[in-house]
Amino acid sequence: MKQIDVAIAVVKRDGRILICQRKPEDTFGGLWEFPGGKREPGESLEACLAREMMEELAIEIKIVRKLTAIEHQYPRSRITLHPFLCEHAGGEPKLIECQQMKWVKAEELPGHQFPPANESLLMEIIQEAGDSSLKQDE
């Protein structure tokens, strides 16, 4: 079983979070995701994240802190998502590796369909944002 480490950025700017929509031909095409990508051999998660942000969106980020890692089993591989809370540090995002992107409030995340592995991360982000209207609905 193949093990894949993926560094992902929860990029914040002006109280909103950057999400990207996967291209139709990609795995989970059409679903939303936080930008990031697979770690190369010998690469740190932080270096991977910086590289992926430039390759996918042409932006710079500042890592604030690591969030809870997520292990997820898919039919052909096991992935570990390594999410980082980040601040937007430079550049305007460009649609290089995704078909659409937008800045959303944390409480708007459940209105977008993400791959199954992201479920606990979405809850962590919403909880961290302290959105009282979501807590009242539960």
Side-chain angles (χ1 to χ4, degrees), residues 7-50:
I8 57 176
V10 178
V11 183
K12 294 177 71 175
R13 178 173 83 177
D14 300 326
R16 294 181 181 268
I17 298 165
L18 181 64
I19 59 173
C20 301
Q21 189 177 38
R22 292 174 178 239
K23 291 180 178 179
E25 64 272 13
D26 292 344
T27 304
F28 295 114
L31 298 187
W32 292 89
E33 66 181 353
F34 300 102
K38 296 175 188 169
R39 177 168 61 172
E40 300 290 338
E43 184 178 45
S44 72
L45 290 167
E46 294 82 359
C48 171
L49 206 55

Side-chain angles (χ1 to χ4, degrees), residues 2-126:
K2 187 174 182 179
Q3 169 65 40
I4 301 169
D5 287 303
V6 178
I8 57 176
V10 178
V11 183
K12 294 177 71 175
R13 178 173 83 177
D14 300 326
R16 294 181 181 268
I17 298 165
L18 181 64
I19 59 173
C20 301
Q21 189 177 38
R22 292 174 178 239
K23 291 180 178 179
E25 64 272 13
D26 292 344
T27 304
F28 295 114
L31 298 187
W32 292 89
E33 66 181 353
F34 300 102
K38 296 175 188 169
R39 177 168 61 172
E40 300 290 338
E43 184 178 45
S44 72
L45 290 167
E46 294 82 359
C48 171
L49 206 55
R51 175 182 56 76
E52 288 286 346
M53 294 305 98
M54 287 307 289
E55 289 177 2
E56 288 187 11
L57 297 163
I59 63 170
E60 295 176 21
I61 54 157
K62 176 185 173 202
I63 294 175
V64 175
R65 73 174 184 287
K66 195 169 186 344
L67 298 172
T68 306
I70 300 161
E71 302 244 347
H72 194 82
Q73 186 76 43
Y74 285 107
R76 294 191 183 104
S77 62
R78 171 188 296 278
I79 67 163
T80 302
L81 299 177
H82 300 276
F84 291 84
L85 182 62
C86 303
E87 292 176 358
H88 178 253
E92 274 308 306
K94 295 181 175 70
L95 294 175
I96 300 170
E97 292 293 327
C98 58
Q99 65 174 326
Q100 190 179 166
M101 69 185 146
K102 56 183 164 177
W103 296 93
V104 299
K105 294 181 181 175
E107 65 264 24
E108 296 171 330
L109 290 171
H112 299 81
Q113 190 176 2
F114 284 78
N118 286 264
E119 191 173 319
S120 63
L121 176 58
L122 294 173
M123 300 317 297
E124 183 177 1
I125 293 165
I126 291 165

